[in-house]
Amino acid sequence: MATSTKHTTEWHSPRSGDSRRTLSPRPQIANLLAGLAGVGFGAVTALALETEGHSALYSPGGWALAVTRFSGFWGGYLLLLMVLLMVRLPWLERTVGQDQLVRWHRKVAPWATSLTSLHVLAAILGYAQMLHNSILSQAWIFVLHYPDMLAAYVGWILLLVAAFSSIRIARRKMRYETWWVVHLYTYLGLGLAFMHQIRTGIMFLGHPLSTQMWTWTWIGAGVVTLLWRVAVPVVRNLRFGLRVADISEVAPGVRSVTVSGRHLDRLAVNGGQFFQWRFMAKELWWHSHPYSLSALPRPPFLRVTVKGLGDQSSALKDLKVGTRVFVEGPYGAFTRHRMTRERVVLIGAGVGITPLRALLEDLPENRPVSVIIRARTAEDVVHGDEMKLLVEARKGSYHELIGSRDDVSLDAATLTSLAHGLADSDVFICGPEGFTESVVASLQEAGVPHSRIHFESFTF
Amino acid sequence: MKRTPFVVIGTAVGLAAVLGFRSTPVSVHLNFPTSSVGASGASGSTSSTSSTSSGSTGVSVGVGSSTTTTPSTVSGSTKASLGRSTPATLTAFRSATTSTSSVGGEHALATTTTVKKKTTTTTAKKKKPTTTTTAKKKPTTTTTVKKKPTTPTTAKKPAGKQVLTGPLVNYYYGVLSVKVTVANKKITSLAIGQLTDGGNPRSAVIDNAAIPILEKAVLGLSSSQQHSMAVSGNNPQLNVVAVSGATYTSAGFDVSLQNALYKLKTQGLI
């Protein structure tokens, strides 16, 4: 088809003009948000602390109730932070990177879950001691007689289910969709657990200002979540109206999907960033996948290059031209803004070459650049021709290392010989997990400091 | 991690801000009745200055409380009330609530911080309508309250000084009685004779915050206003002094105080 050739060739040509909008990372905003997170943590700690006193501690159930307050506030606040880390706040996404945000989310998760559970148990124990009830009957009394406690229990259970579903072993056995729906329910759980804080929390009693601030913090978190996770993507996609324009095989089992849409000149994206892609076709629409752009946008076109891995990726071969596409993004901090040195080295393998391809295109033209690509066979090199052209335009060096993992070793000596001034370069790596690990090790051996080795890791 | 200092500084700021600036706003409403209500059947016991309040007899007011002040009976009745049964007096308490309503059996919360004082209209004279102060009080979570016995500053007990403890009133969340000290026909100090709030920390906080305000409010009244509070019965004039957010405690306080004052009046002590 004529259009097919047209689209595939177009990506070779240099992009005309550069009025494209770009986005810089915002470290100050990230710092400010980190500070705000701290303020909130200090504030809730103070709220719990202020309620304590000698006589409160030494009255019946006093210690358990103190534990209840601290664990409740800390657990609840950490849950709030976990939600906010995943809100896809654009400034955070391109400053910190989604992989790092997810890592923090996972790091906080066990604390939030165990503190919340401790809160539930300590509350039952403390009230049972204070009111001289048995523990079981106290748990029941909470449900029956205390305002909003039933909802809070339900919220806690929803939270526990999500927590268990995210444990590595369970996560592996579970379909992505199941995990996703369970996670969606945690929003409901948090909503249900909110009212009991205000209604039974002693620190809010007769403190209208504290109550309002806490309430607005939660409402604010909800609004921000709805805004960035729902409203912004929906509005953008209605505006862009993306549809599949072309599908072509660029290497065995690897396909380039070109989509077209309106107003793409208004889309600000950096080379190396990714979107969550959702193809609105049967068996595909309920599943979104992160794919990096394999070239900078050429309005009205965007391109991703996908390998046949995973359920969606293999179903992509049946994808039809004209299918609607829904994207969320751009996300990721794997961009030229990570550079701190004059020289740049890009090292990639397999389909991991694609973000490097876009990143290369995004580099300032005067930068000396070395590209090192490893592939099993010469055929498997994705977008090798495009990379060559881009490197030539930048007077850099381009190396393809062909052979299996055992034949071709990317050790410190090889890397140093291939990349000029390696020790004084920024190195961007993209490839399978094992590949990235071994390259990082070689680079460190070659004297590249960790702060100049850039990669994204989505295995947690 | 790069941003750890920001989180740490933020935490310190948050801690300092809350610990430094948080206070408890609780408001007082003084609604003086337009007509005095006469009633009967109240009693209280007068004791001489030297004796302690332990000798005083509690008097039953309302359904939930018994006529004795033995702790077991008291706690029993308290438990019954905490079990969300509604004593008969509660209806009266509720209907008398002016500024706040009780939600789901919980103490109502206050949002206002001003103190209002209305003048009584039983006397034809006009008085200045308000003196406004802001009441601030930090709550603590002690489960029992022993409020300033306020011994007179003079070491010698002035002649004519009398202490009387009002009836033990079941105010739904617990029981309390008010101890009144009078000298020269004026109230010189108020204290809590007995208070059991069932150990519920919520109740404890409310009581601790509200009672000092109630005491202060009564002491701040003119003597004619104080005299008009001398009424007996279990539902004489509610919300004469009331702290919003502590509707029930206030009502219980009023009932015990008014009965105590009535008894003192009948003895010609005020």
Side-chain angles (χ1 to χ4, degrees):
Chain A
M1 217 171 115
T3 48
S4 173
T5 13
K6 183 181 164 258
H7 295 153
T8 40
T9 49
E10 192 159 323
W11 301 100
H12 284 84
S13 60
R15 290 169 356 98
S16 54
D18 212 341
S19 55
R20 196 172 56 85
R21 294 174 71 211
T22 56
L23 297 167
S24 321
R26 294 261 180 267
Q28 302 91 333
I29 291 184
N31 293 344
L32 181 75
L33 291 175
L36 275 179
V39 169
F41 190 76
V44 296
T45 308
L47 281 181
L49 199 64
E50 209 203 20
T51 327
E52 302 308 331
H54 184 270
S55 48
L57 278 179
Y58 290 96
S59 60
W63 285 100
L65 289 172
V67 170
T68 306
R69 283 177 208 125
F70 278 102
S71 58
F73 258 125
W74 284 340
Y77 185 70
L78 290 181
L79 286 172
L80 209 59
L81 281 189
M82 285 175 66
V83 169
L84 290 174
L85 281 172
M86 293 290 96
V87 137
R88 313 280 193 265
L89 216 56
W91 308 286
L92 267 187
E93 290 290 331
R94 59 180 194 258
T95 308
V96 178
Q98 196 173 92
D99 57 332
Q100 187 60 47
L101 292 171
V102 174
R103 213 165 280 127
W104 287 346
H105 178 88
R106 287 196 64 105
K107 207 177 253 180
V108 172
W111 290 97
T113 317
S114 24
L115 281 168
T116 310
S117 304
L118 180 64
H119 167 76
V120 174
L121 301 177
I124 295 170
L125 180 69
Y127 273 76
Q129 284 177 355
M130 182 176 72
L131 303 172
H132 306 288
N133 289 324
S134 78
I135 287 177
L136 278 181
S137 68
Q138 184 59 48
W140 191 234
I141 286 168
F142 272 145
V143 175
L144 290 180
H145 296 299
Y146 281 67
D148 307 303
M149 282 298 288
L150 178 60
Y153 272 127
V154 174
W156 174 55
I157 288 162
L158 290 176
L159 187 75
L160 281 188
V161 173
F164 281 119
S165 78
S166 295
I167 293 172
R168 218 158 277 151
I169 304 161
R171 177 85 176 77
R172 261 182 222 134
K173 287 183 180 160
M174 204 179 290
R175 285 165 60 93
Y176 172 82
E177 290 69 36
T178 318
W179 172 88
W180 185 78
V181 168
V182 162
H183 252 65
L184 208 56
Y185 272 108
T186 55
Y187 291 112
L188 177 66
L190 287 175
L192 286 173
F194 175 72
M195 273 316 283
H196 93 282
Q197 305 171 17
I198 294 295
R199 296 282 295 276
T200 59
I202 206 160
M203 54 295 291
F204 294 121
L205 194 71
H207 282 282
L209 185 65
S210 305
T211 311
Q212 279 189 14
M213 285 179 78
W214 187 238
T215 309
W216 282 108
T217 304
W218 280 67
I219 292 175
V223 168
V224 166
T225 307
L226 278 176
L227 193 65
W228 293 112
R229 297 217 63 166
V230 182
V232 166
V234 165
V235 168
R236 292 186 125 199
N237 279 281
L238 288 176
R239 210 166 115 86
F240 294 153
L242 296 175
R243 281 176 190 275
V244 174
D246 178 67
I247 305 153
S248 58
E249 191 158 31
V250 292
V254 181
R255 286 177 189 78
S256 272
V257 179
T258 302
V259 299
S260 66
R262 303 179 297 263
H263 309 295
L264 286 182
D265 50 329
R266 301 289 303 154
L267 174 69
V269 57
N270 295 313
Q273 285 193 304
F274 67 92
F275 290 82
Q276 289 284 346
W277 293 76
R278 201 183 285 273
F279 295 97
M280 308 305 262
K282 220 161 125 187
E283 291 184 28
L284 286 172
W285 66 269
W286 36 259
H287 206 155
S288 82
H289 261 297
Y291 296 134
S292 302
L293 292 186
S294 58
L296 288 181
R298 278 169 172 67
F301 299 114
L302 298 177
R303 185 184 72 177
V304 280
T305 305
V306 183
K307 198 179 177 187
L309 278 174
D311 34 0
Q312 177 178 4
S313 305
S314 52
L316 277 180
K317 67 171 178 283
D318 304 322
L319 197 63
K320 301 250 175 359
V321 169
T323 307
R324 280 188 175 280
V325 183
F326 191 93
V327 295
E328 293 162 57
Y331 304 134
F334 187 71
T335 66
R336 64 188 160 91
H337 300 285
R338 285 263 166 109
M339 290 190 304
T340 56
R341 285 293 189 274
E342 192 62 21
R343 307 191 66 87
V344 184
V345 178
L346 309 179
I347 305 174
V351 81
I353 297 167
T354 59
L356 295 180
R357 152 74 181 80
L359 179 60
L360 178 60
E361 193 177 8
D362 207 12
L363 292 177
E365 279 181 19
N366 52 357
R367 289 300 176 98
V369 56
S370 303
V371 178
I372 303 168
I373 301 298
R374 210 219 70 202
R376 193 172 299 272
T377 67
E379 271 198 316
D380 288 322
V381 179
V382 179
H383 300 313
D385 43 354
E386 294 179 18
M387 299 275 267
K388 253 177 244 167
L389 285 172
L390 287 164
V391 170
E392 273 166 25
R394 283 168 177 76
K395 314 228 172 353
S397 63
Y398 177 81
H399 311 276
E400 283 180 9
L401 305 177
I402 306 300
S404 72
R405 209 169 300 179
D406 306 322
D407 299 338
V408 183
S409 116
L410 284 173
D411 54 20
T414 315
L415 291 175
T416 315
S417 68
L418 291 178
H420 258 290
L422 178 66
D424 193 39
S425 302
D426 277 291
V427 186
F428 291 83
I429 311 164
C430 193
E433 192 189 353
F435 172 81
T436 306
E437 269 172 31
S438 69
V439 172
V440 169
S442 304
L443 286 171
Q444 283 179 324
E445 199 188 320
V448 184
H450 195 74
S451 61
R452 292 211 294 271
I453 303 174
H454 313 294
F455 58 92
E456 276 180 320
S457 166
F458 283 93
T459 49
F460 304 102
Chain B
M1 227 174 10
K2 213 163 49 177
R3 276 172 253 278
T4 312
F6 293 96
V7 179
V8 172
I9 293 168
T11 306
V13 170
L15 262 172
V18 172
L19 290 178
F21 295 109
R22 218 169 88 110
S23 60
T24 312
V26 185
S27 68
V28 180
H29 296 270
L30 300 179
N31 300 323
F32 255 79
T34 47
S35 61
S36 61
V37 181
S40 61
S43 55
S45 75
T46 321
S47 60
S48 74
T49 330
S50 54
S51 75
T52 57
S53 64
S54 61
S56 62
T57 324
V59 172
S60 156
V61 176
V63 176
S65 65
S66 67
T67 46
T68 60
T69 56
T70 16
S72 63
T73 331
V74 169
S75 67
S77 66
T78 309
K79 265 208 164 166
S81 349
L82 283 172
R84 299 288 179 264
S85 67
T86 312
T89 40
L90 182 65
T91 336
F93 286 11
R94 250 191 204 142
S95 63
T97 316
T98 51
S99 58
T100 54
S101 59
S102 84
V103 188
E106 287 294 308
H107 290 281
L109 292 176
T111 49
T112 50
T113 56
T114 50
V115 179
K116 283 184 204 158
K117 197 187 275 185
K118 282 185 193 163
T119 52
T120 168
T121 48
T122 42
T123 54
K125 271 185 191 170
K126 274 193 181 173
K127 287 175 187 170
K128 258 183 226 160
T130 53
T131 50
T132 311
T133 55
T134 310
K136 275 187 190 170
K137 196 71 201 170
K138 270 204 169 173
T140 52
T141 52
T142 39
T143 45
T144 52
V145 185
K146 283 228 172 139
K147 278 297 154 198
K148 42 171 185 185
T150 331
T151 47
T153 42
T154 49
K156 265 217 156 187
K157 297 148 196 166
K161 185 178 169 236
Q162 295 289 328
V163 178
L164 183 130
T165 304
L168 199 60
V169 176
N170 183 335
Y171 66 99
Y172 185 67
Y173 286 98
V175 288
L176 64 77
S177 64
V178 179
K179 193 164 81 176
V180 188
T181 310
V182 287
N184 302 324
K185 301 216 165 192
K186 280 201 73 177
I187 303 175
T188 56
S189 82
L190 283 172
I192 287 296
Q194 191 180 339
L195 174 71
T196 313
D197 49 24
N200 185 326
R202 262 177 96 72
S203 293
V205 166
I206 294 171
D207 292 338
N208 282 346
I211 287 167
I213 295 170
L214 291 166
E215 292 171 356
K216 224 176 175 176
V218 174
L219 290 173
L221 296 175
S222 71
S223 59
S224 68
Q225 282 171 329
Q226 285 174 351
H227 285 194
S228 72
M229 287 182 75
V231 187
S232 75
N234 67 356
N235 184 20
Q237 299 161 3
L238 289 161
N239 283 76
V240 173
V241 287
V243 175
S244 67
T247 312
Y248 291 76
T249 307
S250 304
F253 187 90
D254 282 359
V255 171
S256 187
L257 173 67
Q258 289 172 27
N259 282 283
L261 290 175
Y262 180 80
K263 184 74 185 169
L264 288 165
K265 199 178 181 181
T266 57
Q267 295 172 359
L269 293 168
I270 58 164

